Amino acid sequence: MSLRHAILGFLSFQPCSGYDLKRAFDSSVQHFWPANQSQIYRTMAELDEQGYVEKEVVARKERLDMKVYRITDAGREELRRWLRTPQPPQDNREPLLIQVYFGGHLTDSELLHVLKHTRDEACERIRVYTAIYETVMSQPRSIDDPRAVFLATLTLEYGLIGARALLPWLDSAIERIRAGDYTLKSLSQLIGAAS
Amino acid sequence: MSLRHAILGFLSFQPCSGYDLKRAFDSSVQHFWPANQSQIYRTMAELDEQGYVEKEVVARKERLDMKVYRITDAGREELRRWLRTPQPPQDNREPLLIQVYFGGHLTDSELLHVLKHTRDEACERIRVYTAIYETVMSQPRSIDDPRAVFLATLTLEYGLIGARALLPWLDSAIERIRAGDYTLKSLSQLIGAAS
DNA sequence: CTGTCCATGTAAGGCGTTACATGATTGT
DNA sequence: ACAATCATGTAACGCCTTACATGGACAG
């Protein structure tokens, strides 16, 4: 149930409409918690019912009404409670690993095709994250709380490191399949290759 | 829709009952594709309707009937088709990163508590994966196809490398929060720390 | 006699996705 | 004239989880 709390998080910065929130998600946490518009509107209605947010309808002449949501004291408390509670590790499903696990049914070239495709995607992600990282670092940032900026940047670092960790694994797998070398690596070799 | 194909994958090794499949999942791919029993029974019924598997009811005197599913030629074809198709990258949601991103609301010690908890879990996962890896390596394995064994082991390597990649990130985050050092790392520092 | 293993399922709910629907304003 | 931006939602479906229900055999 992190979506509720991500929404409360954004509202803790400033009151937002559903539309504003959607943009906030897309421009910041979408890499580790994508949210779509229907979901946001539904969840905000729930948060409203539960008293974690307040709705204010802003009538705008000649336009549709806009609903601005504001976090309540109860909402702030709930947010803080959740933020400091370690979350149970959630299993991330990896279709690629299913493909590798049952890859005995594929030829070398079919397998290599899948692995190379994954490698290209990892490189692309690294490129994107690197570009964002450079943009963040080149900004002045005199107004903002440096601790909050640091924490936001940590999530970017996570994405970068995660994508980079994939490469040695992919490269070693590709190499070994190409060479037809199906011997298992010793643990020390594995760790050496990973670091 | 990888569950369907994981099931077809197991059935490509040998015919199974729903119960057998559940155990197969739990003892092999559960790290990257957990499946629960209800889901398995429902999906097998679908695969049966679609002609990818065949059902054989085995009557057992004095016991409940057992339904053994066998993959069909159409099922094998569908499995191979899917296995060689690169899957769209699916976004893995990370509650921890939501907690870090909005961690400005927490005190240092609250944040550190969450991060240390995550670190403990990562260490535990490394221990578990390492133990499995050692077991696999110490087994004789004369009968099995070495290529298939190699591929299955690759998925273990993935888990190990992934969990290990977390540690430097966590350690550096913990260190910096402790030191109150909110300066952003340069890209070269980041990459140096990750490798 | 209690629990675990074998073996089957149903029911309900939660979270997420995709598609559809409306409607004014602003930019190309 | 057409698309994009601003702004709201509904409907339906898909996948996964949790809990419930049944029932014999066998071990401690």
Side-chain angles (χ1 to χ4, degrees):
Chain A
M1 302 193 94
S2 304
L3 180 65
R4 310 158 52 75
H5 299 98
I7 288 176
L8 289 176
F10 283 117
L11 292 180
S12 77
F13 295 154
Q14 57 178 308
C16 289
S17 69
Y19 191 84
D20 293 337
L21 273 178
K22 171 61 176 154
R23 279 187 314 175
F25 271 89
D26 286 350
S27 66
S28 59
V29 301
Q30 130 240 200
H31 302 106
F32 49 90
W33 210 281
N36 63 23
Q37 162 256 49
S38 335
Q39 224 184 329
I40 287 172
Y41 283 110
R42 225 195 306 145
T43 307
M44 286 211 299
E46 278 168 35
L47 289 171
D48 189 15
E49 271 175 39
Q50 291 161 356
Y52 294 136
V53 304
E54 281 170 352
K55 181 169 56 178
E56 184 193 349
V57 179
V58 179
R60 298 171 309 166
K61 43 207 158 162
E62 322 266 332
R63 275 243 192 165
L64 285 175
D65 287 356
M66 186 173 64
K67 291 172 187 171
V68 175
Y69 291 84
R70 189 181 309 272
I71 193 169
T72 63
D73 286 345
R76 274 181 200 281
E77 226 171 273
E78 168 59 18
L79 174 60
R80 265 194 37 81
R81 188 201 58 72
W82 183 84
L83 285 174
R84 73 172 112 81
T85 308
Q87 295 311 114
Q90 61 160 62
D91 27 51
N92 284 323
R93 290 160 209 264
E94 293 288 350
L96 172 68
L97 294 187
I98 299 279
Q99 293 179 299
V100 170
Y101 191 87
F102 297 107
H105 292 289
L106 297 182
T107 64
D108 280 359
S109 78
E110 286 171 331
L111 244 175
L112 286 171
H113 176 248
V114 171
L115 291 172
K116 279 180 202 152
H117 184 264
T118 308
R119 193 185 193 286
D120 288 345
E121 274 175 359
C123 288
E124 178 55 24
R125 272 206 293 146
I126 291 171
R127 233 174 292 129
V128 170
Y129 291 156
T130 305
I132 299 175
Y133 199 87
E134 273 166 351
T135 310
V136 169
M137 289 219 304
S138 66
Q139 275 164 9
R141 234 180 6 266
S142 38
I143 317 145
D144 301 327
D145 172 15
R147 186 166 176 272
V149 172
F150 160 72
L151 291 174
T153 314
L154 262 186
T155 65
L156 240 186
E157 287 186 16
Y158 179 101
L160 250 175
I161 291 181
R164 282 183 55 86
L166 257 187
L167 292 185
W169 180 79
L170 284 167
D171 287 337
S172 131
I174 289 170
E175 248 310 290
R176 287 188 271 172
I177 290 166
R178 241 187 218 136
D181 172 17
Y182 306 136
T183 59
L184 307 186
K185 288 195 177 187
S186 70
L187 264 176
S188 53
Q189 279 177 304
L190 236 193
I191 287 163
S195 63
Chain B
M1 302 196 90
S2 305
L3 180 65
R4 308 159 51 74
H5 298 99
I7 289 177
L8 289 176
F10 284 117
L11 292 181
S12 76
F13 295 155
Q14 58 178 307
C16 290
S17 70
Y19 190 84
D20 294 336
L21 274 177
K22 171 62 176 155
R23 279 187 315 175
F25 271 90
D26 287 350
S27 66
S28 60
V29 302
Q30 130 239 201
H31 302 107
F32 50 90
W33 209 281
N36 64 21
Q37 164 255 49
S38 338
Q39 225 183 327
I40 288 172
Y41 283 111
R42 221 189 319 133
T43 306
M44 286 210 299
E46 278 169 36
L47 289 171
D48 189 16
E49 271 175 40
Q50 292 161 357
Y52 294 136
V53 303
E54 281 169 352
K55 182 169 55 178
E56 184 193 351
V57 180
V58 178
R60 297 172 308 166
K61 46 212 155 159
E62 323 268 332
R63 276 243 192 165
L64 285 176
D65 287 355
M66 186 173 65
K67 291 172 188 170
V68 175
Y69 292 84
R70 189 182 308 273
I71 193 168
T72 63
D73 286 346
R76 275 182 200 281
E77 225 172 276
E78 167 60 17
L79 175 59
R80 263 194 40 80
R81 190 201 56 73
W82 183 84
L83 285 174
R84 74 172 112 81
T85 309
Q87 295 310 114
Q90 61 160 61
D91 26 54
N92 284 324
R93 289 159 209 264
E94 292 289 349
L96 172 68
L97 294 187
I98 299 279
Q99 292 179 299
V100 169
Y101 191 86
F102 296 108
H105 292 289
L106 297 182
T107 64
D108 280 358
S109 78
E110 286 171 330
L111 244 176
L112 287 171
H113 176 247
V114 171
L115 292 172
K116 280 180 202 152
H117 184 262
T118 308
R119 194 185 192 286
D120 289 345
E121 274 174 0
C123 288
E124 177 56 23
R125 271 205 294 148
I126 291 171
R127 235 173 291 130
V128 170
Y129 290 156
T130 305
I132 299 175
Y133 199 86
E134 275 165 350
T135 309
V136 169
M137 289 220 302
S138 67
Q139 274 164 7
R141 235 181 3 267
S142 39
I143 317 144
D144 301 326
D145 172 15
R147 186 165 176 273
V149 173
F150 160 72
L151 291 173
T153 314
L154 262 186
T155 65
L156 240 186
E157 286 185 18
Y158 180 100
L160 250 175
I161 291 182
R164 281 185 56 86
L166 256 187
L167 292 184
W169 179 78
L170 284 167
D171 288 338
S172 132
I174 289 170
E175 247 310 291
R176 287 188 270 172
I177 290 166
R178 241 186 218 137
D181 171 15
Y182 305 136
T183 57
L184 307 186
K185 288 196 177 188
S186 70
L187 265 177
S188 52
Q189 279 178 301
L190 237 192
I191 287 163
S195 64

